[in-house]
Amino acid sequence: MKPEIRRLRALIVEDSSDDAELIRLELRRNGFELETRRVEDRAGTQEALANCGWDIVLTDHAMPTFSAKGVIEVLSACDADIPCIVVSGAIGEEAAVDLLKSGAFDYVNKSRLNLLAPTVNRALREAEERRARRAAEEALRESEARFRLIAENARDLIAMTNMAGRYVYVSPSHATVLGYSEQALLATGPLELIHPEDRERFRQWRAMDHYELRMRDAGGEWRWVEGSTSLVMWQGEPHMVSISRDISSQKEMTERLKQLAYYDPLSGLPNRTLLRDRLRQALAHARRVGRSVGVMFVDFDNFKVLNDSLGHEFGDDVLQAGAHLILESVRDEDTVARLGGDEFVVVLPAIDAPEDAAKVAEKILARISQPFEVNGQGVALSASVGIALSNGTHFEIDDLLKHADLAMYLAKESGKGQYRFFTPAMDVEAVERLNLERDMRGALDKGEFVLHYQPQLDLDDLQVSGMEALVRWQHPKRGLIMPEVFIPLAEETGLIRALGELVLNEACRQTVTWQKSGIPIRRIAVNLSAKQLQVPTFVETVEAALDRSGLEPSCLELEITESATADTQEETIHMLRALKRLGVHLAIDDFGKGYSSLSYLKRLPMDALKVDRNFVSGLEGGGGGNEDAAILRAVVELGKNLQLRVVGEGIESEDQLDFLTGSGFDEGQGFLFSRPLPAREAGRLLRREPVWRAG
Ligand code: C2E
Ligand code: CA
Ligand code: CA
């Protein structure tokens, strides 16, 4: 077998150049590619060793000025791990052993030089092994140092726990994060520091990808810590390594965000989002167990007034107190949420009968109506409550909320401080109203509102004395809608202002058009809503309508319902007086319906009094002996006393007409003469005067 060629850098310490050559020959023969240098004294050896990276040193045992022993000394002094083989003549067992002891690798007899190459090989191999081992040790030391450095400087909490639940290692970060010294910790285990509620999971001896738990720090505070554990073998025993970090501030932040996302900042109660969440859960649960969920809308009745008069800060305090009162009235498992403003929702997660919800509503209403103090000021609240219940088929969150809201709204409308249950009939009304309201906004611009005119006749000669303008809504889909349907809605939504102005302008314009075309019309009556009188600039609106149309002010009569003047304040009286000064006439409409005090009536600058048509329709046959007849007679008397023109409305029969004429009514109006007519027909009617002739 051809020996493989290996490079060998050999330092030969030998006084005989022949012997050195023999060594070289022998090694070359064995496949070494040599690079050698021969030295023969200490200085040469030192100098040679200082410079080159030798693989091996081959030395004679004894030379004239140097020795193998000296070579070994030099070698160990220069701390180079270079094997040294003594190549010499016979030296005796004792000397050989001595050499080996002092550090020579081996001894080869010059007479058996064939042993040199195997010995060199062995020496090289062992040196290589030593080097590798050293490198490995070095690497290990380095990595240990590295890991220690990491562990010691990590902000994470690194710990190792034995099976007995004791710490066997804790990183110094424990001191900075939790405030415990290493010694203190090593005397305990993690379980002693973990919050009792979080202990269970940690007690299980297993690897965990992620855990979050609370640990008590040295100051006794609970800190949130998140981490993972893994199981390792160490010193033949399983240990648990945990790496964790303090997430208290993140937790706090998350909590705060959660609070913001799910709670109303003012009251601290759940907000709409959380309410829906709770309601969803309650509904799912109720469905499973066959019970009902009650949803209650609670809305303070007088809150807006209180807020406006006493200020928003005070209002906020009242809301907080009110929220507290509601909370006090319900059980722990019930949810009380605030939707904003003074609107609260209570969810009763499991009820069996409507009475259960009714009881809670009564309790809330009773609790709220007890006067309480806010900032030293006495407050009396009342609330309206609407209740909707889920049932076997009806579990929609939005419907429940909407229905409870609707029931609350109707409770409020029917008088305050009450509760009402939702009924399916309410929904129809509400949808209807909502649709109408939406349509109405567009209707104004589209000119869908038209005026019809109903004549008023002088009862003396049955001549037309004037016309009453009555508004209708020509709805593209629903056809003609009567004012009783949309006027209340317009009043609620504020659209009445625009609508009223439109009616006023159109009535004036039409009247002037008639007058200019030679149609004799002395008076146009226009109905006003109470809401219009509350607009401070209303007088200007009337003035503008007169100016624009050119209508004589005395031709315009404004009809104001009795109820609009009944709860009037001074402002309304001023307003009426200002209107009067414009020269327009004023009439009290629907008189008798509102039972206004007569002394009050005297203060109003009125021209006419229109008796509510229900008194007229209440007249029996031609008799006039009933109660309504008595009232009508009294009203006429009153009107005359106040020097008012007395007008009877809703005259449908000749008997009624006769009665009114006989009772002294000045004017009359009703289907008997004419229904309200569109402008064109009304114009025709005016031309053919007199319209109606008895007999
Ligand atoms: P109102 O001012 O008392 O108007 C008279 C109402 O009685 C009219 O109803 C008229 O059509 C009706 N009527 C007239 N004669 C008879 C009769 O012989 N029998 C019966 N059963 N009814 C008769 P309409 O037009 O439906 O108006 C209803 C109410 O709507 C009015 O009552 C008035 O309060 C209000 N209204 C009508 N137009 C306007 C308006 O332009 N502005 C305001 N704010 N309210 C208006
Ligand atoms: Ca009227
Ligand atoms: Ca009327």
PDB file of all heavy atoms in Angstrom, residues 468 470 527 559 589 610 649, ligand 2:
ATOM      1  N   GLU A 468    -110.840  78.737   4.764  1.00  0.00           N
ATOM      2  CA  GLU A 468    -109.776  78.210   5.629  1.00  0.00           C
ATOM      3  C   GLU A 468    -108.847  77.347   4.791  1.00  0.00           C
ATOM      4  O   GLU A 468    -109.290  76.459   4.062  1.00  0.00           O
ATOM      5  CB  GLU A 468    -110.346  77.376   6.788  1.00  0.00           C
ATOM      6  CG  GLU A 468    -109.219  76.806   7.664  1.00  0.00           C
ATOM      7  CD  GLU A 468    -109.708  76.036   8.895  1.00  0.00           C
ATOM      8  OE1 GLU A 468    -110.908  75.714   8.981  1.00  0.00           O
ATOM      9  OE2 GLU A 468    -108.867  75.764   9.770  1.00  0.00           O
ATOM     10  N   LEU A 470    -106.320  74.461   4.387  1.00  0.00           N
ATOM     11  CA  LEU A 470    -106.011  73.211   5.096  1.00  0.00           C
ATOM     12  C   LEU A 470    -104.992  72.428   4.271  1.00  0.00           C
ATOM     13  O   LEU A 470    -105.204  72.191   3.082  1.00  0.00           O
ATOM     14  CB  LEU A 470    -107.289  72.395   5.296  1.00  0.00           C
ATOM     15  CG  LEU A 470    -108.321  73.059   6.217  1.00  0.00           C
ATOM     16  CD1 LEU A 470    -109.714  72.502   5.979  1.00  0.00           C
ATOM     17  CD2 LEU A 470    -107.910  72.899   7.687  1.00  0.00           C
ATOM     18  N   ASN A 527    -104.031  77.957   9.599  1.00  0.00           N
ATOM     19  CA  ASN A 527    -103.815  77.310  10.904  1.00  0.00           C
ATOM     20  C   ASN A 527    -102.364  77.398  11.332  1.00  0.00           C
ATOM     21  O   ASN A 527    -101.442  77.232  10.534  1.00  0.00           O
ATOM     22  CB  ASN A 527    -104.212  75.837  10.820  1.00  0.00           C
ATOM     23  CG  ASN A 527    -105.701  75.673  10.627  1.00  0.00           C
ATOM     24  OD1 ASN A 527    -106.471  75.811  11.564  1.00  0.00           O
ATOM     25  ND2 ASN A 527    -106.120  75.423   9.382  1.00  0.00           N
ATOM     26  N   GLU A 559    -105.334  81.023  12.795  1.00  0.00           N
ATOM     27  CA  GLU A 559    -106.066  80.189  13.743  1.00  0.00           C
ATOM     28  C   GLU A 559    -105.088  79.479  14.668  1.00  0.00           C
ATOM     29  O   GLU A 559    -104.173  78.792  14.209  1.00  0.00           O
ATOM     30  CB  GLU A 559    -106.909  79.145  13.004  1.00  0.00           C
ATOM     31  CG  GLU A 559    -107.999  79.770  12.153  1.00  0.00           C
ATOM     32  CD  GLU A 559    -109.009  78.743  11.669  1.00  0.00           C
ATOM     33  OE1 GLU A 559    -108.898  77.562  12.051  1.00  0.00           O
ATOM     34  OE2 GLU A 559    -109.909  79.104  10.913  1.00  0.00           O
ATOM     35  N   ASP A 589    -108.896  78.400  17.830  1.00  0.00           N
ATOM     36  CA  ASP A 589    -109.414  77.220  17.137  1.00  0.00           C
ATOM     37  C   ASP A 589    -109.753  76.124  18.146  1.00  0.00           C
ATOM     38  O   ASP A 589    -109.202  76.088  19.247  1.00  0.00           O
ATOM     39  CB  ASP A 589    -108.339  76.709  16.167  1.00  0.00           C
ATOM     40  CG  ASP A 589    -108.950  75.962  14.997  1.00  0.00           C
ATOM     41  OD1 ASP A 589    -110.165  75.695  15.020  1.00  0.00           O
ATOM     42  OD2 ASP A 589    -108.179  75.632  14.066  1.00  0.00           O
ATOM     43  N   LYS A 610    -113.492  79.780  17.353  1.00  0.00           N
ATOM     44  CA  LYS A 610    -114.045  78.657  16.593  1.00  0.00           C
ATOM     45  C   LYS A 610    -114.316  77.505  17.558  1.00  0.00           C
ATOM     46  O   LYS A 610    -113.394  77.007  18.214  1.00  0.00           O
ATOM     47  CB  LYS A 610    -113.078  78.199  15.495  1.00  0.00           C
ATOM     48  CG  LYS A 610    -112.877  79.249  14.413  1.00  0.00           C
ATOM     49  CD  LYS A 610    -111.974  78.748  13.306  1.00  0.00           C
ATOM     50  CE  LYS A 610    -112.751  77.874  12.347  1.00  0.00           C
ATOM     51  NZ  LYS A 610    -111.903  77.472  11.197  1.00  0.00           N
ATOM     52  N   GLU A 649    -117.946  74.960  13.601  1.00  0.00           N
ATOM     53  CA  GLU A 649    -117.248  74.107  12.633  1.00  0.00           C
ATOM     54  C   GLU A 649    -117.923  72.757  12.529  1.00  0.00           C
ATOM     55  O   GLU A 649    -118.606  72.314  13.438  1.00  0.00           O
ATOM     56  CB  GLU A 649    -115.826  73.823  13.120  1.00  0.00           C
ATOM     57  CG  GLU A 649    -114.822  74.896  12.837  1.00  0.00           C
ATOM     58  CD  GLU A 649    -113.430  74.344  13.079  1.00  0.00           C
ATOM     59  OE1 GLU A 649    -113.053  74.165  14.250  1.00  0.00           O
ATOM     60  OE2 GLU A 649    -112.746  74.077  12.092  1.00  0.00           O
TER      61      GLU A 649
HETATM   62 CA    CA B   2    -108.626  75.523  11.819  1.00  0.00          CA
END
